[in-house]
PDB file of all heavy atoms in Angstrom:
ATOM      1  N   MET A   4      12.335  -5.646   8.348  1.00  0.00           N
ATOM      2  CA  MET A   4      11.195  -5.235   7.507  1.00  0.00           C
ATOM      3  C   MET A   4      10.719  -3.857   7.936  1.00  0.00           C
ATOM      4  O   MET A   4      10.702  -3.512   9.105  1.00  0.00           O
ATOM      5  CB  MET A   4      10.060  -6.255   7.657  1.00  0.00           C
ATOM      6  CG  MET A   4       8.839  -5.922   6.795  1.00  0.00           C
ATOM      7  SD  MET A   4       7.437  -6.977   7.197  1.00  0.00           S
ATOM      8  CE  MET A   4       8.109  -8.563   6.747  1.00  0.00           C
ATOM      9  N   GLU A   5      10.318  -3.074   6.978  1.00  0.00           N
ATOM     10  CA  GLU A   5       9.855  -1.721   7.257  1.00  0.00           C
ATOM     11  C   GLU A   5       8.483  -1.751   7.918  1.00  0.00           C
ATOM     12  O   GLU A   5       7.621  -2.572   7.610  1.00  0.00           O
ATOM     13  CB  GLU A   5       9.771  -0.951   5.939  1.00  0.00           C
ATOM     14  CG  GLU A   5       9.381   0.495   6.118  1.00  0.00           C
ATOM     15  CD  GLU A   5       9.543   1.256   4.815  1.00  0.00           C
ATOM     16  OE1 GLU A   5      10.346   0.841   3.969  1.00  0.00           O
ATOM     17  OE2 GLU A   5       8.845   2.258   4.650  1.00  0.00           O
ATOM     18  N   THR A   6       8.269  -0.874   8.863  1.00  0.00           N
ATOM     19  CA  THR A   6       6.995  -0.777   9.553  1.00  0.00           C
ATOM     20  C   THR A   6       5.933  -0.202   8.611  1.00  0.00           C
ATOM     21  O   THR A   6       6.164   0.792   7.932  1.00  0.00           O
ATOM     22  CB  THR A   6       7.112   0.119  10.793  1.00  0.00           C
ATOM     23  OG1 THR A   6       8.141  -0.396  11.634  1.00  0.00           O
ATOM     24  CG2 THR A   6       5.790   0.172  11.541  1.00  0.00           C
ATOM     25  N   ILE A   7       4.772  -0.842   8.606  1.00  0.00           N
ATOM     26  CA  ILE A   7       3.671  -0.381   7.759  1.00  0.00           C
ATOM     27  C   ILE A   7       2.787   0.550   8.572  1.00  0.00           C
ATOM     28  O   ILE A   7       2.234   0.165   9.594  1.00  0.00           O
ATOM     29  CB  ILE A   7       2.842  -1.562   7.241  1.00  0.00           C
ATOM     30  CG1 ILE A   7       3.736  -2.587   6.561  1.00  0.00           C
ATOM     31  CG2 ILE A   7       1.746  -1.083   6.301  1.00  0.00           C
ATOM     32  CD1 ILE A   7       4.422  -2.094   5.317  1.00  0.00           C
ATOM     33  N   ILE A   8       2.658   1.787   8.134  1.00  0.00           N
ATOM     34  CA  ILE A   8       1.870   2.756   8.878  1.00  0.00           C
ATOM     35  C   ILE A   8       0.988   3.550   7.930  1.00  0.00           C
ATOM     36  O   ILE A   8       1.308   3.758   6.777  1.00  0.00           O
ATOM     37  CB  ILE A   8       2.758   3.724   9.672  1.00  0.00           C
ATOM     38  CG1 ILE A   8       3.765   4.421   8.734  1.00  0.00           C
ATOM     39  CG2 ILE A   8       3.475   3.013  10.798  1.00  0.00           C
ATOM     40  CD1 ILE A   8       4.559   5.524   9.406  1.00  0.00           C
ATOM     41  N   LYS A   9      -0.124   3.967   8.430  1.00  0.00           N
ATOM     42  CA  LYS A   9      -0.992   4.962   7.795  1.00  0.00           C
ATOM     43  C   LYS A   9      -1.190   4.704   6.300  1.00  0.00           C
ATOM     44  O   LYS A   9      -0.842   5.507   5.452  1.00  0.00           O
ATOM     45  CB  LYS A   9      -0.411   6.361   8.009  1.00  0.00           C
ATOM     46  CG  LYS A   9      -1.442   7.489   7.847  1.00  0.00           C
ATOM     47  CD  LYS A   9      -0.828   8.824   8.194  1.00  0.00           C
ATOM     48  CE  LYS A   9      -1.846   9.933   8.050  1.00  0.00           C
ATOM     49  NZ  LYS A   9      -1.277  11.261   8.389  1.00  0.00           N
ATOM     50  N   ARG A  10      -1.746   3.562   5.988  1.00  0.00           N
ATOM     51  CA  ARG A  10      -2.001   3.255   4.580  1.00  0.00           C
ATOM     52  C   ARG A  10      -3.134   4.109   4.029  1.00  0.00           C
ATOM     53  O   ARG A  10      -4.159   4.292   4.666  1.00  0.00           O
ATOM     54  CB  ARG A  10      -2.390   1.778   4.427  1.00  0.00           C
ATOM     55  CG  ARG A  10      -1.277   0.804   4.748  1.00  0.00           C
ATOM     56  CD  ARG A  10      -1.788  -0.607   4.620  1.00  0.00           C
ATOM     57  NE  ARG A  10      -0.841  -1.549   5.206  1.00  0.00           N
ATOM     58  CZ  ARG A  10      -1.146  -2.772   5.586  1.00  0.00           C
ATOM     59  NH1 ARG A  10      -2.393  -3.199   5.465  1.00  0.00           N
ATOM     60  NH2 ARG A  10      -0.226  -3.566   6.093  1.00  0.00           N
ATOM     61  N   SER A  11      -2.948   4.577   2.817  1.00  0.00           N
ATOM     62  CA  SER A  11      -3.997   5.343   2.146  1.00  0.00           C
ATOM     63  C   SER A  11      -4.911   4.394   1.387  1.00  0.00           C
ATOM     64  O   SER A  11      -4.462   3.356   0.886  1.00  0.00           O
ATOM     65  CB  SER A  11      -3.376   6.349   1.179  1.00  0.00           C
ATOM     66  OG  SER A  11      -2.624   7.312   1.873  1.00  0.00           O
ATOM     67  N   PRO A  12      -6.186   4.743   1.258  1.00  0.00           N
ATOM     68  CA  PRO A  12      -7.099   3.904   0.463  1.00  0.00           C
ATOM     69  C   PRO A  12      -6.818   4.078  -1.016  1.00  0.00           C
ATOM     70  O   PRO A  12      -6.196   5.046  -1.455  1.00  0.00           O
ATOM     71  CB  PRO A  12      -8.473   4.442   0.844  1.00  0.00           C
ATOM     72  CG  PRO A  12      -8.228   5.870   1.229  1.00  0.00           C
ATOM     73  CD  PRO A  12      -6.873   5.894   1.869  1.00  0.00           C
ATOM     74  N   GLY A  13      -7.326   3.133  -1.787  1.00  0.00           N
ATOM     75  CA  GLY A  13      -7.176   3.213  -3.233  1.00  0.00           C
ATOM     76  C   GLY A  13      -6.247   2.154  -3.767  1.00  0.00           C
ATOM     77  O   GLY A  13      -5.576   1.438  -3.013  1.00  0.00           O
ATOM     78  N   MET A  14      -6.227   2.054  -5.090  1.00  0.00           N
ATOM     79  CA  MET A  14      -5.409   1.046  -5.756  1.00  0.00           C
ATOM     80  C   MET A  14      -4.190   1.689  -6.414  1.00  0.00           C
ATOM     81  O   MET A  14      -4.187   2.866  -6.757  1.00  0.00           O
ATOM     82  CB  MET A  14      -6.243   0.317  -6.812  1.00  0.00           C
ATOM     83  CG  MET A  14      -7.355  -0.536  -6.242  1.00  0.00           C
ATOM     84  SD  MET A  14      -6.740  -1.880  -5.198  1.00  0.00           S
ATOM     85  CE  MET A  14      -5.797  -2.846  -6.389  1.00  0.00           C
ATOM     86  N   GLY A  15      -3.154   0.854  -6.603  1.00  0.00           N
ATOM     87  CA  GLY A  15      -1.948   1.311  -7.273  1.00  0.00           C
ATOM     88  C   GLY A  15      -1.030   2.010  -6.304  1.00  0.00           C
ATOM     89  O   GLY A  15      -0.798   1.546  -5.182  1.00  0.00           O
ATOM     90  N   CYS A  16      -0.502   3.146  -6.716  1.00  0.00           N
ATOM     91  CA  CYS A  16       0.456   3.913  -5.931  1.00  0.00           C
ATOM     92  C   CYS A  16      -0.196   5.219  -5.514  1.00  0.00           C
ATOM     93  O   CYS A  16      -0.559   6.037  -6.369  1.00  0.00           O
ATOM     94  CB  CYS A  16       1.700   4.158  -6.781  1.00  0.00           C
ATOM     95  SG  CYS A  16       2.958   5.107  -5.957  1.00  0.00           S
ATOM     96  N   ILE A  17      -0.350   5.418  -4.202  1.00  0.00           N
ATOM     97  CA  ILE A  17      -1.074   6.588  -3.690  1.00  0.00           C
ATOM     98  C   ILE A  17      -0.127   7.421  -2.836  1.00  0.00           C
ATOM     99  O   ILE A  17       0.428   6.926  -1.852  1.00  0.00           O
ATOM    100  CB  ILE A  17      -2.300   6.170  -2.846  1.00  0.00           C
ATOM    101  CG1 ILE A  17      -3.179   5.182  -3.633  1.00  0.00           C
ATOM    102  CG2 ILE A  17      -3.112   7.392  -2.451  1.00  0.00           C
ATOM    103  CD1 ILE A  17      -3.002   3.745  -3.214  1.00  0.00           C
ATOM    104  N   ILE A  18       0.059   8.684  -3.220  1.00  0.00           N
ATOM    105  CA  ILE A  18       0.925   9.601  -2.489  1.00  0.00           C
ATOM    106  C   ILE A  18       0.060  10.450  -1.567  1.00  0.00           C
ATOM    107  O   ILE A  18      -0.921  11.065  -2.006  1.00  0.00           O
ATOM    108  CB  ILE A  18       1.704  10.508  -3.458  1.00  0.00           C
ATOM    109  CG1 ILE A  18       2.466   9.682  -4.489  1.00  0.00           C
ATOM    110  CG2 ILE A  18       2.654  11.420  -2.703  1.00  0.00           C
ATOM    111  CD1 ILE A  18       3.029  10.490  -5.634  1.00  0.00           C
ATOM    112  N   ASN A  19       0.420  10.499  -0.274  1.00  0.00           N
ATOM    113  CA  ASN A  19      -0.398  11.246   0.677  1.00  0.00           C
ATOM    114  C   ASN A  19       0.446  11.648   1.878  1.00  0.00           C
ATOM    115  O   ASN A  19       0.987  10.786   2.585  1.00  0.00           O
ATOM    116  CB  ASN A  19      -1.591  10.406   1.124  1.00  0.00           C
ATOM    117  CG  ASN A  19      -2.551  11.167   2.022  1.00  0.00           C
ATOM    118  OD1 ASN A  19      -2.684  12.380   1.900  1.00  0.00           O
ATOM    119  ND2 ASN A  19      -3.198  10.469   2.937  1.00  0.00           N
ATOM    120  N   GLU A  20       0.583  12.945   2.098  1.00  0.00           N
ATOM    121  CA  GLU A  20       1.251  13.509   3.274  1.00  0.00           C
ATOM    122  C   GLU A  20       2.647  12.917   3.490  1.00  0.00           C
ATOM    123  O   GLU A  20       3.007  12.505   4.593  1.00  0.00           O
ATOM    124  CB  GLU A  20       0.389  13.294   4.527  1.00  0.00           C
ATOM    125  CG  GLU A  20      -0.949  14.032   4.457  1.00  0.00           C
ATOM    126  CD  GLU A  20      -1.785  13.836   5.709  1.00  0.00           C
ATOM    127  OE1 GLU A  20      -1.358  13.048   6.580  1.00  0.00           O
ATOM    128  OE2 GLU A  20      -2.856  14.461   5.794  1.00  0.00           O
ATOM    129  N   GLY A  21       3.431  12.880   2.431  1.00  0.00           N
ATOM    130  CA  GLY A  21       4.811  12.431   2.544  1.00  0.00           C
ATOM    131  C   GLY A  21       4.989  10.928   2.565  1.00  0.00           C
ATOM    132  O   GLY A  21       6.123  10.442   2.653  1.00  0.00           O
ATOM    133  N   LEU A  22       3.894  10.189   2.501  1.00  0.00           N
ATOM    134  CA  LEU A  22       3.967   8.728   2.486  1.00  0.00           C
ATOM    135  C   LEU A  22       3.420   8.206   1.159  1.00  0.00           C
ATOM    136  O   LEU A  22       2.567   8.834   0.535  1.00  0.00           O
ATOM    137  CB  LEU A  22       3.160   8.133   3.637  1.00  0.00           C
ATOM    138  CG  LEU A  22       3.606   8.508   5.052  1.00  0.00           C
ATOM    139  CD1 LEU A  22       2.643   7.926   6.081  1.00  0.00           C
ATOM    140  CD2 LEU A  22       5.036   8.027   5.329  1.00  0.00           C
ATOM    141  N   THR A  23       3.928   7.054   0.764  1.00  0.00           N
ATOM    142  CA  THR A  23       3.459   6.413  -0.464  1.00  0.00           C
ATOM    143  C   THR A  23       2.955   5.019  -0.134  1.00  0.00           C
ATOM    144  O   THR A  23       3.684   4.198   0.430  1.00  0.00           O
ATOM    145  CB  THR A  23       4.589   6.332  -1.505  1.00  0.00           C
ATOM    146  OG1 THR A  23       5.035   7.651  -1.814  1.00  0.00           O
ATOM    147  CG2 THR A  23       4.098   5.664  -2.775  1.00  0.00           C
ATOM    148  N   THR A  24       1.700   4.783  -0.476  1.00  0.00           N
ATOM    149  CA  THR A  24       1.083   3.470  -0.266  1.00  0.00           C
ATOM    150  C   THR A  24       0.995   2.740  -1.598  1.00  0.00           C
ATOM    151  O   THR A  24       0.597   3.321  -2.611  1.00  0.00           O
ATOM    152  CB  THR A  24      -0.327   3.616   0.332  1.00  0.00           C
ATOM    153  OG1 THR A  24      -0.230   4.233   1.619  1.00  0.00           O
ATOM    154  CG2 THR A  24      -1.002   2.247   0.474  1.00  0.00           C
ATOM    155  N   PHE A  25       1.384   1.474  -1.588  1.00  0.00           N
ATOM    156  CA  PHE A  25       1.237   0.601  -2.749  1.00  0.00           C
ATOM    157  C   PHE A  25       0.164  -0.430  -2.430  1.00  0.00           C
ATOM    158  O   PHE A  25       0.197  -1.057  -1.365  1.00  0.00           O
ATOM    159  CB  PHE A  25       2.556  -0.125  -3.061  1.00  0.00           C
ATOM    160  CG  PHE A  25       3.688   0.788  -3.432  1.00  0.00           C
ATOM    161  CD1 PHE A  25       4.562   1.267  -2.450  1.00  0.00           C
ATOM    162  CD2 PHE A  25       3.887   1.167  -4.749  1.00  0.00           C
ATOM    163  CE1 PHE A  25       5.610   2.107  -2.791  1.00  0.00           C
ATOM    164  CE2 PHE A  25       4.933   2.005  -5.095  1.00  0.00           C
ATOM    165  CZ  PHE A  25       5.791   2.473  -4.112  1.00  0.00           C
ATOM    166  N   ARG A  26      -0.786  -0.606  -3.337  1.00  0.00           N
ATOM    167  CA  ARG A  26      -1.808  -1.644  -3.138  1.00  0.00           C
ATOM    168  C   ARG A  26      -2.050  -2.343  -4.467  1.00  0.00           C
ATOM    169  O   ARG A  26      -2.228  -1.696  -5.507  1.00  0.00           O
ATOM    170  CB  ARG A  26      -3.107  -1.045  -2.605  1.00  0.00           C
ATOM    171  CG  ARG A  26      -4.182  -2.116  -2.330  1.00  0.00           C
ATOM    172  CD  ARG A  26      -5.394  -1.549  -1.582  1.00  0.00           C
ATOM    173  NE  ARG A  26      -5.088  -1.284  -0.179  1.00  0.00           N
ATOM    174  CZ  ARG A  26      -4.877  -0.082   0.344  1.00  0.00           C
ATOM    175  NH1 ARG A  26      -4.946   0.996  -0.445  1.00  0.00           N
ATOM    176  NH2 ARG A  26      -4.606   0.068   1.625  1.00  0.00           N
ATOM    177  N   VAL A  27      -2.085  -3.666  -4.418  1.00  0.00           N
ATOM    178  CA  VAL A  27      -2.209  -4.453  -5.640  1.00  0.00           C
ATOM    179  C   VAL A  27      -3.080  -5.669  -5.362  1.00  0.00           C
ATOM    180  O   VAL A  27      -3.099  -6.197  -4.241  1.00  0.00           O
ATOM    181  CB  VAL A  27      -0.804  -4.878  -6.150  1.00  0.00           C
ATOM    182  CG1 VAL A  27      -0.100  -5.798  -5.154  1.00  0.00           C
ATOM    183  CG2 VAL A  27      -0.887  -5.510  -7.535  1.00  0.00           C
ATOM    184  N   TRP A  28      -3.806  -6.085  -6.384  1.00  0.00           N
ATOM    185  CA  TRP A  28      -4.635  -7.299  -6.299  1.00  0.00           C
ATOM    186  C   TRP A  28      -3.860  -8.445  -6.923  1.00  0.00           C
ATOM    187  O   TRP A  28      -3.531  -8.412  -8.112  1.00  0.00           O
ATOM    188  CB  TRP A  28      -5.948  -7.073  -7.032  1.00  0.00           C
ATOM    189  CG  TRP A  28      -6.843  -8.285  -7.089  1.00  0.00           C
ATOM    190  CD1 TRP A  28      -7.329  -9.007  -6.035  1.00  0.00           C
ATOM    191  CD2 TRP A  28      -7.357  -8.902  -8.264  1.00  0.00           C
ATOM    192  NE1 TRP A  28      -8.118 -10.035  -6.489  1.00  0.00           N
ATOM    193  CE2 TRP A  28      -8.148  -9.994  -7.857  1.00  0.00           C
ATOM    194  CE3 TRP A  28      -7.230  -8.638  -9.637  1.00  0.00           C
ATOM    195  CZ2 TRP A  28      -8.808 -10.827  -8.763  1.00  0.00           C
ATOM    196  CZ3 TRP A  28      -7.876  -9.448 -10.539  1.00  0.00           C
ATOM    197  CH2 TRP A  28      -8.661 -10.543 -10.106  1.00  0.00           C
ATOM    198  N   ALA A  29      -3.548  -9.461  -6.111  1.00  0.00           N
ATOM    199  CA  ALA A  29      -2.801 -10.631  -6.573  1.00  0.00           C
ATOM    200  C   ALA A  29      -3.180 -11.808  -5.686  1.00  0.00           C
ATOM    201  O   ALA A  29      -2.433 -12.212  -4.791  1.00  0.00           O
ATOM    202  CB  ALA A  29      -1.296 -10.375  -6.520  1.00  0.00           C
ATOM    203  N   PRO A  30      -4.369 -12.383  -5.884  1.00  0.00           N
ATOM    204  CA  PRO A  30      -4.919 -13.371  -4.940  1.00  0.00           C
ATOM    205  C   PRO A  30      -4.116 -14.662  -4.837  1.00  0.00           C
ATOM    206  O   PRO A  30      -4.279 -15.396  -3.846  1.00  0.00           O
ATOM    207  CB  PRO A  30      -6.322 -13.632  -5.495  1.00  0.00           C
ATOM    208  CG  PRO A  30      -6.260 -13.221  -6.926  1.00  0.00           C
ATOM    209  CD  PRO A  30      -5.292 -12.094  -6.987  1.00  0.00           C
ATOM    210  N   ASN A  31      -3.267 -14.954  -5.809  1.00  0.00           N
ATOM    211  CA  ASN A  31      -2.515 -16.209  -5.769  1.00  0.00           C
ATOM    212  C   ASN A  31      -1.067 -16.036  -5.342  1.00  0.00           C
ATOM    213  O   ASN A  31      -0.309 -17.003  -5.314  1.00  0.00           O
ATOM    214  CB  ASN A  31      -2.562 -16.872  -7.151  1.00  0.00           C
ATOM    215  CG  ASN A  31      -3.985 -17.172  -7.589  1.00  0.00           C
ATOM    216  OD1 ASN A  31      -4.631 -18.079  -7.075  1.00  0.00           O
ATOM    217  ND2 ASN A  31      -4.495 -16.368  -8.521  1.00  0.00           N
ATOM    218  N   ALA A  32      -0.686 -14.817  -5.006  1.00  0.00           N
ATOM    219  CA  ALA A  32       0.683 -14.566  -4.586  1.00  0.00           C
ATOM    220  C   ALA A  32       0.919 -15.117  -3.183  1.00  0.00           C
ATOM    221  O   ALA A  32       0.006 -15.186  -2.353  1.00  0.00           O
ATOM    222  CB  ALA A  32       0.973 -13.072  -4.616  1.00  0.00           C
ATOM    223  N   GLU A  33       2.176 -15.505  -2.938  1.00  0.00           N
ATOM    224  CA  GLU A  33       2.579 -15.938  -1.601  1.00  0.00           C
ATOM    225  C   GLU A  33       3.271 -14.814  -0.838  1.00  0.00           C
ATOM    226  O   GLU A  33       3.126 -14.692   0.376  1.00  0.00           O
ATOM    227  CB  GLU A  33       3.512 -17.150  -1.715  1.00  0.00           C
ATOM    228  CG  GLU A  33       2.817 -18.365  -2.336  1.00  0.00           C
ATOM    229  CD  GLU A  33       3.793 -19.454  -2.761  1.00  0.00           C
ATOM    230  OE1 GLU A  33       5.019 -19.270  -2.578  1.00  0.00           O
ATOM    231  OE2 GLU A  33       3.335 -20.494  -3.277  1.00  0.00           O
TER     232      GLU A  33
END
C-alpha cells in the first residue's frame, strides 16, 4: 500500500506541491 503523506484540506481532488489528495464522503463504505 502506498504511504499516505501530507494530505491537503478540502474535498474532491486537490493538487498541491506535486502531490494530489483525494477526499470523499462515503459514511457506509468499508
Side-chain angles (χ1 to χ4, degrees):
M4 181 189 297
E5 184 170 335
T6 304
I7 307 296
I8 55 173
K9 201 175 181 180
R10 293 178 193 160
S11 295
M14 293 297 297
C16 179
I17 308 102
I18 306 168
N19 185 30
E20 296 181 355
L22 299 176
T23 300
T24 297
F25 297 92
R26 182 170 286 104
V27 64
W28 176 57
N31 300 287
E33 296 166 0

